[in-house]
């Protein structure tokens, strides 16, 4: 079994009662909403990762305000030729503040759409579990919906 480790950084950006999300660009069954962010490049600081990834996926300049927490997931999945992978994902979740930029969709990337969603409606969205993890961490840190940033 092949071991795979992925370290990634994500932003929870809440403004005026809305959460910024990006939609994964997989096949129709995989088009779920996620937090803006993604995998670290070799040698990259996670702080810089969340800034880069959020801009790539949403068009916004995001300032990581505080580290909300670290989430660890592990799963086994099939690979080619009947083998399996033991995947371990380490996800650093930051509270993010929008400091500039304009909302836009990513082209030719891992996401195909970016949008603000009412906090009360997030539970109705087709989403990855990371969205719920991020909101739990944000709420437990005292996060509340308030106007911030652009």
């Amino acid at each position: 079994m092949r071991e795979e480790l992925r370290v990634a950084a994500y932003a929870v950006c809440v403004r005026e009662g809305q959460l910024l999300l990006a939609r994964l660009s997989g096949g129709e069954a995989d088009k779920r909403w996620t937090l803006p962010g993604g995998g670290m490049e070799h040698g990259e600081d996670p702080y810089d990762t969340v800034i880069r990834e959020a801009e790539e996926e949403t068009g916004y300049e995001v300032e990581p305000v505080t580290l909300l927490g670290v989430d660890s997931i592990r799963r086994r999945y099939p690979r080619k030729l009947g083998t399996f992978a033991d995947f371990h994902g380490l996800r650093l979740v930051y509270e993010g503040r929008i400091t500039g930029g304009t909302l836009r969709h990513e082209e030719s990337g891992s996401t195909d759409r970016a949008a603000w969603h009412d906090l009360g409606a997030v539970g109705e969205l087709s989403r990855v579990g990371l969205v719920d993890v991020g909101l739990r961490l944000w709420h437990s840190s005292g996060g509340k919906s308030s106007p911030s940033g652009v």
Side-chain angles (χ1 to χ4, degrees):
M1 184 174 312
R2 179 182 166 158
E3 294 177 349
E4 295 180 5
L5 173 66
R6 181 174 188 260
V7 181
Y10 297 89
V12 175
C13 299
V14 177
R15 180 174 75 183
E16 299 174 359
Q18 295 190 313
L19 175 66
L20 179 63
L21 296 173
R23 189 177 71 179
L24 296 169
S25 61
E28 277 308 310
D30 294 327
K31 287 192 178 284
R32 295 179 292 161
W33 292 96
T34 189
L35 296 175
M40 288 176 49
E41 296 177 357
H42 181 77
E44 186 176 36
D45 187 280
Y47 187 90
D48 296 327
T49 300
V50 76
I51 292 169
R52 174 181 55 76
E53 287 282 346
E55 193 281 327
E56 287 175 6
E57 293 179 356
T58 70
Y60 285 123
E61 297 167 16
V62 171
E63 174 189 8
V65 177
T66 188
L67 178 64
L68 295 173
V70 178
D71 183 60
S72 179
I73 60 168
R74 192 167 177 193
R75 64 177 159 246
R76 184 175 183 248
Y77 65 90
R79 296 193 42 93
K80 294 179 183 175
L81 303 175
T83 62
F84 287 86
D86 179 5
F87 174 81
H88 182 196
L90 208 56
R91 306 181 298 187
L92 291 81
V93 181
Y94 291 89
E95 179 176 4
R97 183 172 64 89
I98 306 298
T99 59
T102 304
L103 181 67
R104 63 152 174 73
H105 308 308
E106 182 177 25
E107 293 183 21
S108 303
S110 61
T111 65
D112 63 5
R113 185 162 171 73
W116 291 96
H117 297 273
D118 290 333
L119 283 170
V122 169
E124 300 167 17
L125 296 173
S126 176
R127 65 197 183 284
V128 299
L130 178 62
V131 174
D132 298 330
V133 168
L135 282 175
R136 256 191 321 275
L137 289 169
W138 180 73
H139 282 296
S140 68
S141 76
K144 58 184 184 297
S145 178
S146 63
S148 68
V150 173

